[in-house]
Amino acid sequence: MTRRDVEFDAEGTTLRGWFYPAEGATSSAPVIVMAHGFSAVKEMHLDDYAAAFSAAGLNALVFDNRNFGASDGEPRQEIDPIAQVRDYRHAITYAIGLPEVDRSKVGVWGSSYSGGHALVLGAIDRRVGAVVSQVPLTSGYENIRALVRADFIGGFREQFDADREARGRGEAPAMVPVVDKDPLAPSALPTPDSYQWFTETHENRAPSWRNEVTLRTVEMLFEYEPGSYISRISPTPLLMLVAENDVLTPTELALAAYENAREPKKLVILPGGHFDAYVKGFQHSMVPARDWFLEHLAR
């Protein structure tokens, strides 16, 4: 397997990533389009998934979201979920133009925040032939209410309004840490497992990751409801991978969303918590995803 660096245009913004050609392919093969979740960059284990898909005879296109990692975009460290969904669609357009790719066989894979994007894409882009949504965000509103004390939420809204006015005056965006060692300190992802995974993965694999996002990122998270699209994915096949003890994108929210999906669909419960899927539970999350894509795209 020899991956190559790629870049493509997303309506004036250059996005960069890796293309993993399908191993053993003698003609065009399916492609899996992949991006990471909330603030994460592609070096944070997406290479492991892409390499596994490639070894199974699937092409894989992995890219950094706009404003993060190797991709361009301003303001840096700002996550606009609607723009990220649109960029997945630009990535699909780029991928199906590659000579190695069978343009009629496109899968999307997303995890955590981008797991929510995968749900939206499955509903709105009929070029997508199979969806894998891993430990997904399904409701920004309900997710924040599960993570943030009710008496803190009003303070967040005041900060959002003040930041909007400051940006209107031309001031720099307010920033907030992605994670903090103290789960009661202000951060976008206030859980101990978030702090551990991001800091360890940053140190060991992803020096380009930065522990900050714009405050408006949190406001847009509050407004994002990817689960509202889930009933519209059918007849595109949907696989949801839900961690049994997920406290970041709570298990019960993902399971409730899955109930609203229509056939064909499949649910796999992963052992452990939200971040176990990437490392010690990698085989538990990768194998069902790989097999789902092979079943629905490689025949």
Side-chain angles (χ1 to χ4, degrees), residues 12 30 47 53-54 64 122 203 233 244 277 279 298-299:
D47 48 340
F53 296 156
S54 170
D64 275 330
E203 292 171 1
I233 296 173
E244 63 180 345
V279 189
R299 27 180 207 195

Side-chain angles (χ1 to χ4, degrees), residues 237-279:
L238 166 65
L239 171 66
M240 278 185 64
L241 304 168
V242 178
E244 63 180 345
N245 295 312
D246 197 325
V247 297
L248 181 59
T249 54
T251 305
E252 62 270 20
L253 296 181
L255 294 177
Y258 178 79
E259 289 302 310
N260 292 325
R262 298 172 179 169
E263 299 291 345
K265 64 179 181 177
K266 182 178 181 180
L267 174 67
V268 172
I269 303 297
L270 304 176
H274 186 86
F275 295 98
D276 289 323
Y278 302 107
V279 189

Side-chain angles (χ1 to χ4, degrees), residues 31 110 127 282:
V31 65
R127 297 176 297 177
F282 173 72

Side-chain angles (χ1 to χ4, degrees), residues 16 33 54 63 75 87 89 95 113 119 144 183 187 189 201 205 228 239 257 270 272 274-275 278:
R16 298 182 178 87
V33 177
S54 170
F63 67 97
D87 287 341
R89 303 185 79 179
Y113 211 28
L119 300 176
I144 285 183
S187 68
L189 305 179
T201 310
R205 297 177 63 100
S228 66
L239 171 66
L270 304 176
H274 186 86
F275 295 98
Y278 302 107

Side-chain angles (χ1 to χ4, degrees), residues 22-294:
E23 292 186 18
T26 57
S27 60
S28 60
V31 65
I32 313 306
V33 177
M34 312 170 61
H36 223 316
F38 193 96
S39 86
V41 293
K42 62 187 183 299
E43 291 82 3
M44 291 172 142
H45 297 287
L46 289 200
D47 48 340
D48 296 334
Y49 289 96
F53 296 156
S54 170
L58 301 164
N59 296 300
L61 174 63
V62 181
F63 67 97
D64 275 330
N65 289 301
R66 68 171 56 221
N67 308 337
F68 289 87
S71 290
D72 291 347
E74 297 287 342
R76 301 303 291 174
Q77 304 301 115
E78 180 156 287
I79 305 171
D80 180 340
I82 305 305
Q84 290 189 349
V85 168
R86 193 175 297 121
D87 287 341
Y88 257 98
R89 303 185 79 179
H90 293 311
I92 292 170
T93 300
Y94 170 74
I96 63 176
L98 296 174
E100 298 96 333
V101 170
D102 182 338
R103 62 183 296 121
S104 69
K105 295 181 177 181
V106 176
V108 293
W109 179 101
S111 186
S112 194
Y113 211 28
S114 66
H117 302 345
L119 300 176
V120 179
L121 287 156
I124 67 174
D125 197 322
R126 289 302 169 194
R127 297 176 297 177
V128 175
V131 176
V132 173
S133 177
Q134 175 175 293
V135 294
L137 173 92
T138 57
S139 169
Y141 176 78
E142 295 295 345
N143 214 106
I144 285 183
R145 287 179 62 84
L147 294 180
V148 179
R149 277 176 36 182
D151 56 329
F152 286 1
I153 290 177
F156 264 123
R157 293 194 183 280
E158 291 176 2
Q159 293 177 52
F160 296 155
D161 293 342
D163 178 55
R164 188 175 296 277
E165 292 183 22
R167 290 170 74 141
R169 296 190 296 268
E171 298 176 20
M175 308 298 289
V176 63
V178 177
V179 294
D180 193 281
K181 188 173 184 178
D182 179 2
L184 296 180
S187 68
L189 305 179
T191 66
D193 61 340
S194 298
Y195 176 79
Q196 180 179 359
W197 185 82
F198 274 102
T199 53
E200 290 180 356
T201 310
H202 166 55
E203 292 171 1
N204 297 330
R205 297 177 63 100
S208 69
W209 178 78
R210 290 165 51 186
N211 186 22
E212 61 177 2
V213 290
T214 65
L215 182 62
R216 187 164 69 172
T217 290
V218 182
E219 184 178 26
M220 288 188 282
L221 165 61
F222 217 147
E223 299 165 353
Y224 188 40
E225 296 294 323
S228 66
Y229 289 82
I230 201 166
S231 66
R232 294 163 48 189
I233 296 173
S234 177
T236 303
L238 166 65
L239 171 66
M240 278 185 64
L241 304 168
V242 178
E244 63 180 345
N245 295 312
D246 197 325
V247 297
L248 181 59
T249 54
T251 305
E252 62 270 20
L253 296 181
L255 294 177
Y258 178 79
E259 289 302 310
N260 292 325
R262 298 172 179 169
E263 299 291 345
K265 64 179 181 177
K266 182 178 181 180
L267 174 67
V268 172
I269 303 297
L270 304 176
H274 186 86
F275 295 98
D276 289 323
Y278 302 107
V279 189
K280 66 182 181 181
F282 173 72
Q283 291 296 322
H284 292 288
S285 64
M286 182 279 291
V287 170
R290 178 200 65 195
D291 293 350
W292 189 254
F293 289 132
L294 289 172

